[in-house]
Amino acid sequence: MATAYQRAIVVGASSGIGEAFARQLAGRGAHVALVARRQPELERVAGEIRRVGGRAEVFPHDVVGFDATPALFDQIVAKLGGLDIIVYASGVLHDIAENEWNFALDRETIEVNLIGAMAWLNLAGARFQAQGSGTIFGISSIAGERGRRANSAYGTSKAALTAYLESVRNRLTRYGVHVVTVKPGFIDTPMIKGRPVFWVISADTAARRSLAFADRGGQSVFVPARWGLVALILKLIPSFVFRRLNF
Ligand SMILES: NC(=O)c1ccc[n+]([C@@H]2O[C@H](COP(=O)([O-])OP(=O)(O)OC[C@H]3O[C@@H](n4cnc5c(N)ncnc54)[C@H](OP(=O)(O)O)[C@@H]3O)[C@@H](O)[C@H]2O)c1
């Protein structure tokens, strides 16, 4: 049965997977706080949610503004009258050339994809631990399963995010808190526009499958599921072979 969350925060709700989560949580009856940098996009998503009878509020925010996160979190929780679920979907993926060693882009990738998640989810974790309930979704990636040649910082950010979410789950399960790691393959969003991709599914399908997985009590899911098999094979490839591969 679909879990009816009442009060939700979606960080990274202005586009793609976060937007799809926001719509579907609103469709399940949640009052949703939409967080990301681009206010016009957040207003568009909120307008579309309201047009079909849902409730949504807009909170423009850059996740690397870590000092502002606690006050914004408190402001949102006060506005919603509590919190039942948080989804952290903010992320960046930069194209890094073979001979490019770009610390500025690597740093942004780690700050948005990992540190921003910790800034938001630590606050949610503390609140959920105290209230003895709550659900945390983190959008990680198949890219975190091995250290590939391509996109070192992106893969690193996702490997660390996966480990962080597992640790948070291990801390909070005994307090009645549900922590779900989503590891997408390729999802049809602006992030992968123009890239050579396959087995692509829509953001709506990814969000729907992830929420349905959580409804069944699941904790870590590949979307689509066949990426789980790919991950298994990737992990079995010995390092001396893996370093000769070109992906
Ligand atoms: N698409 C895929 O194939 C795929 C595969 C595996 C994992 N993922 C992961 O899924 C998540 C969502 O990505 P997507 O595919 O939906 O891409 P997307 O459509 O580009 O969405 C990225 C979201 O992150 C937000 N964001 C980026 N930088 C931010 C910042 N500094 N502060 C606040 N928000 C920021 C963007 O909002 P603003 O620009 O408005 O701030 C946007 O809402 C990411 O973590 C991505 O790594 C995607």
Side-chain angles (χ1 to χ4, degrees):
M1 207 179 80
T3 310
Y5 304 101
Q6 305 288 310
R7 298 150 303 189
I9 297 176
V10 180
V11 185
S14 60
S15 164
I17 300 172
E19 174 179 343
F21 263 95
R23 289 172 189 280
Q24 290 183 30
L25 288 169
R28 287 178 176 215
H31 189 183
V32 186
L34 309 173
V35 180
R37 289 168 304 178
R38 290 170 297 161
Q39 183 160 5
E41 291 305 312
L42 294 176
E43 300 286 2
R44 174 187 59 77
V45 178
E48 288 167 14
I49 287 173
R50 290 181 196 128
R51 249 191 306 286
V52 293
R55 289 179 302 159
E57 313 293 332
V58 164
F59 297 92
H61 167 75
D62 187 330
V63 296
V64 308
F66 308 117
D67 292 345
T69 311
L72 180 57
F73 180 84
D74 289 346
Q75 184 194 339
I76 293 173
V77 171
K79 176 82 182 177
L80 300 181
L83 188 66
D84 303 300
I85 179 169
I86 183 165
V87 179
Y88 190 91
S90 282
V92 290
L93 168 62
H94 294 296
D95 281 318
I96 306 293
E98 174 80 6
N99 61 352
E100 183 182 8
W101 301 88
N102 190 324
F103 177 70
L105 291 183
D106 286 358
R107 177 179 175 164
E108 186 203 356
T109 302
I110 298 294
E111 289 190 344
V112 174
N113 298 8
L114 175 65
I115 316 283
M118 296 168 101
W120 279 89
L121 301 184
N122 275 9
L123 293 166
R127 185 177 177 87
F128 289 162
Q129 183 176 35
Q131 75 188 22
S133 65
T135 300
I136 293 173
F137 270 87
I139 314 301
S140 188
S141 173
I142 177 76
E145 299 297 296
R146 284 295 292 265
R148 293 159 52 241
R149 283 168 66 84
N151 300 103
S152 306
Y154 184 79
T156 302
S157 74
K158 294 303 186 180
L161 180 60
T162 296
Y164 168 77
L165 291 166
E166 181 183 20
S167 172
V168 171
R169 177 181 306 118
N170 293 342
R171 289 176 71 172
L172 291 179
T173 300
R174 68 193 63 183
Y175 294 93
V177 181
H178 189 188
V179 179
V180 186
T181 307
V182 180
K183 297 178 181 178
F186 293 120
I187 313 295
D188 186 14
T189 73
M191 182 173 279
I192 61 160
K193 212 169 165 27
R195 291 170 189 274
V197 291
F198 54 96
W199 295 347
V200 181
I201 61 170
S202 72
D204 279 342
T205 301
R208 184 168 34 77
R209 287 189 190 168
S210 302
L211 284 163
F213 176 79
D215 291 339
R216 300 191 297 274
Q219 302 183 336
S220 181
V221 63
F222 288 94
V223 281
R226 67 186 74 157
W227 285 100
L229 187 59
V230 175
L232 199 65
I233 294 165
L234 280 177
K235 294 220 159 164
L236 290 173
I237 299 174
S239 183
F240 72 90
V241 175
F242 201 74
R243 78 179 68 118
R244 289 163 199 261
L245 303 177
N246 276 329
F247 68 96

